[in-house]
Amino acid sequence: MSLSDSLYQEVLLDHYQNPRHHGRLEHAHLHEEGVNPLCGDEVELFLELDGNTISKISFLGKGCSISQASASMLTDSLYGKTLDEAKSLLHEFKEMLLEDKEPNFAEEYEDLESLEAVKKIPARIKCATLAWNTLEKILKKNH
Amino acid sequence: MNGKPLVFLDSAASSQKPKSVIDTIRHYYEAENANIHRGVYSLSQKATEKYEMTRIKASRFIGAACAKVVIFTRNTTESINLVAQSWGRTNIHEGDEIVLTELEHHSNLVPWQMLAQEKQAVLKFIPLNPDSTLDLSNIDEIITERVKLVALAQMSNVTGTIHDLDAIIKRARQVGAKVLVDGAQGICHLPTNVQKQDFDFYAFSAHKMLGPTGVGILYAKEEILDTMPPWMGGGDMISRVWKEKSTYADLPARLEAGTPNISGVIGFGAALEYLESVGMQEIRNHELELLQYALDRLEDFGGLELYGTSDLSKRGGVISFNFPGVHPHDVGSILDEEGIAIRVGHHCAQPFMEFKGIAGTCRASFYLYNTKEDVDALLVGLKKVKEIFGRVLKR
């Protein structure tokens, strides 16, 4: 399978065409914007909390398929999870892309593995990490 | 590239370099390396001579009256900043107007924003027609008596549009405004003569015209340069220096502080020779042929959104397009895997992207070394994009 075939798999293109949890949360407790100034990709994350649990999460954004699919996968993965779980998933995701660790996501997060192929196209890693860097800003603010 | 033959379609960003340019730079470092303008020894004299020879070649290449009106900078951006910081800060005052176009590159936009902010001057923009040519129908209302400078590109780096400079310069003369032409994209593709075309300022870079990076040129009419104060202080630009004050050197040294990119300037001399040996009109003709060939095929491909005028007399070898439903960066990555280098994104021209309501474009740009086979390879690559994204676009 060629590089672009392994990257642009059905699962990534599906998240791009049919983004999950897309939109604005009017009563978000936590909100952060992320932008890649060189390419102009944008992601906005909205989180509602119930104690330590992410009771609602959504995103808005525009940009390439990788940046937007990654944001969609992020919201899908973290809906109903605790902030601690978000933190550890963030850690695992960044290890996969930035430290070349073999991904070993729990089954419910397996869509994220489709982004592993981005590693082979260094210019696009920043697309895949945009939403996650935005999440990181949110988590830092909240601790 | 990536196991495939390289198809380089990004010369609008930076051109490839001929062997003569690379050899000239190598030879300078191997056999002629010394600082210029200071040494009494032969080696330094020789380096100085070669460096100054490029100034003479460049002045001839652009049709300037003499060599001293050619100022070496690092690039087009620095040339424009030099005008803004030196001429602009002296001549632009509160309430004065600077006219730009909606199609400007950031390097011919941001320096004027900074100057306008500092001086409380006003920026105005010549609008665009739907085909990305300039809408000059209200030019007399835009270029008024309050306008001190009109700054615009010779050719757009996004759409390849070659602007009608004559009409704009004519109007600028009526109101006494100066005209700065950003030649970054023009000089490499079009025969240019700064005296015949009556440019006040002309800025361009060596690296888009077969030369090395880090060398730029500012041309200005001698009577304008004579009034421009230094903008950077240091070595080479002085006449006499005391502890408290200095007097400044004559042109062009006054505007060239510090040790310059000597090897780059000498290498640029070889690039100018190369271009002259081919001939700028030959280059223009070759690009027009490629442009027509590529536009015909891209139109036949179907479903692509193409930007820019179809009047090739007003267009250089640049094609900007979009694949509806596919982001330009995704197109760029898939083509890259096929060894095809195009530029994707906003091309440092965000106001134009706003005008069109798009995130960016895919841009294929040609130069003298490109062939019809390169265009054919691009089409094969685009077919692959269609296949990959077709899996979801069809649903």
Side-chain angles (χ1 to χ4, degrees), chain B residues 257-272:
Chain B
T259 297
N261 183 353
I262 302 167
S263 68
V265 167
I266 292 174
F268 180 38
L272 290 171

Side-chain angles (χ1 to χ4, degrees), chain A residues 4-54:
Chain A
S4 54
D5 282 327
S6 66
L7 175 60
Y8 293 106
Q9 294 166 39
E10 194 97 359
V11 50
L12 180 133
L13 293 175
D14 183 53
H15 273 277
Y16 177 51
Q17 291 301 117
N18 311 294
R20 328 290 199 260
H21 313 293
H22 193 263
R24 179 185 301 276
L25 291 181
E26 292 302 336
H27 304 292
H29 299 104
L30 298 170
H31 167 237
E32 195 66 58
E33 291 174 23
V35 61
N36 282 334
L38 281 179
C39 58
D41 289 348
E42 292 170 19
V43 162
E44 247 182 294
L45 282 182
F46 302 88
L47 271 69
E48 271 181 41
L49 296 180
D50 181 2
N52 231 358
T53 302
I54 300 168

Side-chain angles (χ1 to χ4, degrees), chain B residues 319-341:
Chain B
I319 300 179
S320 255
F321 61 92
N322 262 319
F323 221 114
V326 188
H327 194 279
H329 286 120
D330 294 316
V331 178
S333 280
I334 294 169
L335 292 182
D336 175 48
E337 205 195 7
E338 301 298 305
I340 303 162

Side-chain angles (χ1 to χ4, degrees), chain B residues 324-373:
Chain B
V326 188
H327 194 279
H329 286 120
D330 294 316
V331 178
S333 280
I334 294 169
L335 292 182
D336 175 48
E337 205 195 7
E338 301 298 305
I340 303 162
I342 64 160
R343 174 84 177 264
V344 292
H346 54 58
H347 315 298
C348 297
Q350 287 185 11
F352 175 74
M353 302 304 149
E354 209 174 297
F355 167 73
K356 286 284 177 193
I358 51 180
T361 72
C362 307
R363 180 188 74 186
S365 54
F366 306 124
Y367 210 10
L368 66 167
Y369 37 68
N370 287 116
T371 61
K372 288 180 178 167
E373 285 72 35

